[in-house]
Amino acid sequence: MAKRVFVTALLGGAALVLAGCNASKSGGAGSLDEAEKASETLLKTGGNGDDWAGIGYSYDEQRFSPLKDIDDRNVGQLGIAWFADLDDARGQEATPVVVDGVMYVSHAWSKVDAWDAATGKKLWSFDPKVPGERAVNACCDVVNRGVAVWGDKLFVGTIDGRLIALDRKTGQELWSTQTFDTAKPYTITGAPRVVKDMVLIGNGGAEFGVRGYVTAYDADTGKERWRFYTAPNAEKKKDGAASDDIFASKGNATWSDKGEWKVSGGGGTVWDAIVYDKDLDQIYLGVGNGNPWNHGLRSNGEGDNWFLSSVVALDADTGAYKWHYQETPAESWDYTATQPIILAEQPVNGTPTKVLYHAPKNGFFFTIDRATGKLIDAKPFVDGINWATGYDLATGRPIENPDARFYRTGKPFIAIPGALGAHNWHPMSYNPATGLVYIPAQQIPQGYLEDMDELDKRKVLGFNVGTSLQAGMLPDDTAAFRAAVAATTGRLVAFDPRSGKVAWGVDYPAAWNGGTMTTAGNLVFQGTSTGRFRAYAADTGKQLLDLDMQSGIVSAPSTFRVNGVQYVAFQTSKGGAFPLVAGIAGGVTRKVPNIPRLVVLKIGGTVQLPAPPATTALEWNPPAPIGTPQQVAAGKAHFGRYCQVCHGDSAIGNGFTPDLRVSGTLANADAWKSVILDGALKDRGMVSFARVLTPTDAEAIRAYVIERSNWTKAHLPEASAPMGR
């Protein structure tokens, strides 16, 4: 994230000498070299818009560009300047980072490429060669949300837990640090952040059962500076970490001495939001869900469980605790607070106040005082929320619907929002000129049930969430399937934090639409899950641009300028949690192609995308049913427990991972077994499940999928398999 001045041979050479000597700094901005000082200045100020130096643009992570060469009068003239096809048809979630006319983009499997940002000339590629079998620990696809540039280095986290420093000019590896125990089901999908001369990274894995933490590493050497745990030590002992004092004094008391957290680690992973406040010199962590989700099992139904579903403020130099605000105390619905955090200022009772804006999964938009952690306001940004009616601003606590605590009532609860959230990881943006925050919102209900059997209990593979996943699958009722499609929608929400109301919105027919970016040209940009790339007037929401990108879009765009020309860049693909698990609820997106691609636009761009790849209708000719009704029922239970999170409710695929109803192995018991139990496709992410399934279980799953293929063909012709390539 440095200014153009640091590409001179002198400074570049000096940085390489320092890297080659593996020089260690004592910490603090005073010890930075000139290239790193330039990066810090650019991240603090954002610069003039020529660069997009961090995934959120600057330390404030507003995703607002001061550029206005492209504005609400000429944005309709945007066309393609260049594009590049990417390697893997998996989720592409990273925001392109551009410094000194070079674009850096991470993509699936933690790979990184660099291009000339104006011409599209490939400069280098880096593949960390993540083992394919690590994918089983990635709850929500083998994605990566971006890189961090600092001086002459570039940093990326990998699915298998490495934090890697690269020479940003050549792509050569400078150092690599393993950030977690690879024997445990951790992953890294989020982007690192660089603060002063430290690289900060968290991890994921809370669905399976891990203990969350964030670590700061020396940017030159990769050595650990400090670590902050976001869930307690199982014995409530000290770890020699920055979090020791706050857990010993207050945090441990919020976790019961009974409960599964002692085995699972408690969760609380920081898999996305890590934000540096340059004004107050503190770091904010967005902390995730508990493990298991079910608070009754996790902590015996007792205590708020610090720091789950919280925004936590830390001292930047030491990692010491400063304050936290828990958005969902005693979290039980996978209501993470890991969603993007934006730093801003607004009047509060007539006084200019430094605030942070947050729109997490639980459906409420939070305005929080950055200095104290005090809740200023919490208002819904979507309709239909039923787990709580609002927040008590005096106590900062939600006013809960008692029925939402399903583990207390013993009754099922259909929550709005569900575990995928009213807003997931997809970046939101803030425009200081309009005062509005642009949120990629969605409506995806979910049922929670504690009526579990032996199969639902903790296992060494698969989600361990403390609710019955198989019992939540759709019944054999065509009306229920079609209602699921109708109930699952998306919306672009322009939210006014000052009034606590939605200023305007745009409805989408499906969920899982891309992140947003806004500019001084009175524009908001967003891609959609149906394959459109659009621009709206930031003040009114009027649609000004609508381009067909041939593929779904989940990532957020960035904008930059090279040689006086402004560009807009983004990635296309389908991917992430929703298309993995949605089944028929994917709706119209099920038929949208999945094309991994980087696209760059400019005014007057004339490049045309090639014709969409040739597709063939996958033959839907189910084998004759096999097995007894009891075997099919057993197969359904196992499918719900282990398979649906990657292959969709009722085995209905979304054109992302294989639709098992048309699998070539379905008619052959030996071929099916070779995949399910023998790990024939482990290098592609499909590991052996022999640790949790017997040959009898695998055959029961085959019987169930055959039954699903026959039933859906007979009753739901709209659920035909997506087109193959």
Side-chain angles (χ1 to χ4, degrees):
M1 284 77 63
K3 293 182 179 177
R4 284 177 168 71
V5 65
F6 74 75
V7 299
T8 64
L10 176 62
L11 292 180
L16 289 174
V17 169
L18 285 173
C21 294
N22 219 15
S24 178
K25 302 184 180 72
S26 60
S31 62
L32 304 182
D33 65 31
E34 292 303 314
E36 292 166 336
K37 288 179 181 177
S39 284
E40 183 176 62
T41 298
L42 189 56
L43 282 172
K44 284 182 174 180
T45 66
N48 64 2
D50 286 356
D51 301 289
W52 188 279
I55 60 165
Y57 182 70
S58 67
Y59 278 140
D60 291 342
E61 304 222 1
Q62 295 180 357
R63 293 181 180 260
F64 168 79
S65 170
L67 295 182
K68 50 187 176 182
D69 303 330
I70 302 170
D71 62 16
D72 53 5
R73 296 167 298 177
N74 63 12
V75 67
Q77 301 171 32
L78 278 178
I80 298 174
W82 61 271
F83 69 90
D85 290 323
L86 303 175
D87 294 339
D88 303 290
R90 302 298 294 255
Q92 310 297 343
E93 296 187 356
T95 301
V97 169
V98 179
V99 179
D100 298 329
V102 178
M103 181 183 296
Y104 306 97
V105 181
S106 63
H107 42 109
W109 293 106
S110 317
K111 298 175 182 178
V112 184
D113 289 317
W115 288 270
D116 182 300
T119 68
K121 178 184 177 182
K122 177 74 73 68
L123 302 178
W124 55 258
S125 295
F126 174 75
D127 181 357
K129 300 187 184 303
V130 174
E133 55 264 35
R134 197 71 200 180
V136 74
N137 296 319
C139 78
C140 311
D141 198 8
V142 291
V143 298
N144 190 281
R145 295 187 194 90
V147 301
V149 170
W150 185 252
D152 291 310
K153 297 184 184 69
L154 177 146
F155 301 96
V156 64
T158 67
I159 287 286
D160 57 352
R162 288 170 285 161
L163 177 64
I164 299 175
L166 304 176
D167 183 314
R168 76 176 186 92
K169 294 181 176 63
T170 66
Q172 295 299 304
E173 184 175 309
L174 299 175
W175 56 256
S176 177
T177 296
Q178 183 63 44
T179 67
F180 58 64
D181 181 352
T182 56
K184 296 180 179 179
Y186 284 103
T187 53
I188 293 177
T189 57
R193 269 68 164 194
V194 185
V195 177
K196 301 178 179 179
D197 57 348
M198 299 178 293
V199 191
L200 278 60
I201 193 70
N203 43 58
E207 282 67 38
F208 307 101
V210 296
R211 181 189 183 198
Y213 57 85
V214 167
T215 314
Y217 295 93
D218 186 285
D220 279 331
T221 67
K223 293 182 179 179
E224 182 178 325
R225 291 282 197 84
W226 54 257
R227 175 168 289 179
F228 188 93
Y229 286 96
T230 46
N233 182 293
E235 289 78 37
K236 296 188 175 179
K237 296 179 180 178
K238 293 188 175 182
D239 297 287
S243 45
D244 279 351
D245 289 345
I246 185 59
F247 273 114
S249 62
K250 295 181 179 180
N252 284 337
T254 69
W255 291 75
S256 172
D257 288 330
K258 301 176 182 178
E260 280 195 25
W261 73 270
K262 288 178 170 288
V263 176
S264 72
T269 51
V270 183
W271 52 262
D272 198 9
I274 303 173
V275 178
Y276 176 58
D277 187 332
K278 66 183 185 301
D279 301 320
L280 301 179
D281 196 25
Q282 58 192 20
I283 293 161
Y284 307 110
L285 311 179
V287 184
N289 56 279
N291 185 277
W293 296 347
N294 183 336
H295 182 241
L297 293 179
R298 183 178 67 243
S299 188
N300 202 38
E302 300 168 352
D304 285 345
N305 294 177
W306 288 12
F307 294 100
L308 302 182
S309 300
S310 298
V311 176
V312 180
L314 307 178
D315 178 271
D317 290 315
T318 66
Y321 170 86
K322 300 190 77 170
W323 58 257
H324 82 283
Y325 173 69
Q326 191 166 37
E327 294 171 338
T328 313
E331 190 280 312
S332 286
W333 309 275
D334 190 18
Y335 285 168
T336 63
T338 50
Q339 285 58 54
I341 294 169
I342 287 174
L343 308 186
E345 293 191 9
Q346 76 170 55
V348 177
N349 297 323
T351 301
T353 304
K354 298 181 188 303
V355 299
L356 67 80
Y357 296 142
H358 201 214
K361 280 187 182 180
N362 74 16
F364 290 91
F365 187 99
F366 295 89
T367 303
I368 300 170
D369 187 312
R370 285 152 50 189
T372 65
K374 177 180 171 55
L375 178 64
I376 295 170
D377 202 6
K379 291 292 192 300
F381 61 90
V382 293
D383 297 330
I385 298 172
N386 67 353
W387 74 273
T389 58
Y391 275 73
D392 182 330
L393 295 185
T395 65
R397 298 183 69 87
I399 305 166
E400 288 190 14
N401 173 2
D403 291 341
R405 297 279 172 185
F406 57 93
Y407 58 89
R408 290 177 181 162
T409 67
K411 299 178 181 178
F413 180 69
I414 299 176
I416 300 174
L420 287 171
H423 173 216
N424 207 283
W425 65 268
H426 311 81
M428 63 184 189
S429 57
Y430 169 66
N431 192 313
T434 64
L436 302 179
V437 178
Y438 306 99
I439 309 168
Q442 57 195 18
Q443 185 83 288
I444 310 175
Q446 178 167 331
Y448 297 84
L449 307 92
E450 197 185 32
D451 184 18
M452 300 183 296
D453 57 27
E454 187 64 30
L455 186 60
D456 295 302
K457 294 181 180 179
R458 184 165 299 278
K459 300 292 192 282
V460 296
L461 278 178
F463 281 21
N464 291 302
V465 295
T467 68
S468 179
L469 295 174
Q470 64 266 28
M473 296 169 70
L474 289 171
D476 284 353
D477 182 338
T478 56
F481 278 82
R482 289 165 182 151
V485 175
T488 306
T489 58
R491 195 170 198 236
L492 172 59
V493 170
F495 190 87
D496 186 344
R498 293 162 177 79
S499 68
K501 297 180 180 179
V502 175
W504 56 262
V506 177
D507 293 326
Y508 294 137
W512 217 246
N513 298 288
T516 69
M517 180 263 290
T518 184
T519 75
N522 192 35
L523 295 172
V524 178
F525 292 92
Q526 184 185 28
T528 76
S529 58
T530 55
R532 316 303 298 190
F533 186 74
R534 291 175 174 165
Y536 302 91
D539 54 357
T540 66
K542 180 181 178 181
Q543 183 176 300
L544 304 172
L545 175 75
D546 183 19
L547 299 177
D548 181 4
M549 287 294 111
Q550 301 181 348
S551 176
I553 302 170
V554 293
S555 65
S558 61
T559 188
F560 56 93
R561 186 166 52 196
V562 179
N563 297 324
V565 177
Q566 184 181 351
Y567 299 84
V568 176
F570 57 94
Q571 295 189 88
T572 69
S573 78
K574 294 167 70 171
F578 178 69
L580 285 172
V581 72
I584 200 170
V588 294
T589 67
R590 294 187 61 251
K591 302 299 182 180
V592 176
N594 182 19
I595 303 173
R597 185 176 278 158
L598 172 66
V599 180
V600 180
L601 310 177
K602 69 175 182 179
I603 295 292
T606 58
V607 173
Q608 297 294 311
L609 294 176
T615 60
T616 56
L618 296 173
E619 184 177 359
W620 197 2
N621 187 22
I626 64 171
T628 66
Q630 292 77 15
Q631 287 174 309
V632 171
K636 177 181 180 179
H638 286 297
F639 185 93
R641 180 65 173 84
Y642 298 112
C643 310
Q644 72 167 325
V645 295
C646 285
H647 294 284
D649 186 293
S650 298
I652 297 173
N654 276 276
F656 177 51
T657 51
D659 190 311
L660 298 183
R661 298 171 304 154
V662 293
S663 170
T665 66
L666 196 56
N668 186 308
D670 290 337
W672 182 265
K673 175 180 173 293
S674 74
V675 174
I676 305 298
L677 298 182
D678 300 337
L681 299 179
K682 69 177 184 178
D683 291 340
R684 292 164 59 181
M686 178 58 205
V687 301
S688 165
F689 276 73
R691 288 188 288 167
V692 291
L693 295 172
T694 67
T696 299
D697 297 333
E699 186 65 2
I701 295 172
R702 187 170 77 95
Y704 168 69
V705 176
I706 289 174
E707 187 273 338
R708 284 294 82 191
S709 190
N710 282 280
W711 190 89
T712 51
K713 183 176 183 180
H715 297 90
L716 289 169
E718 65 268 41
S720 61
M723 304 297 280
R725 287 175 56 185

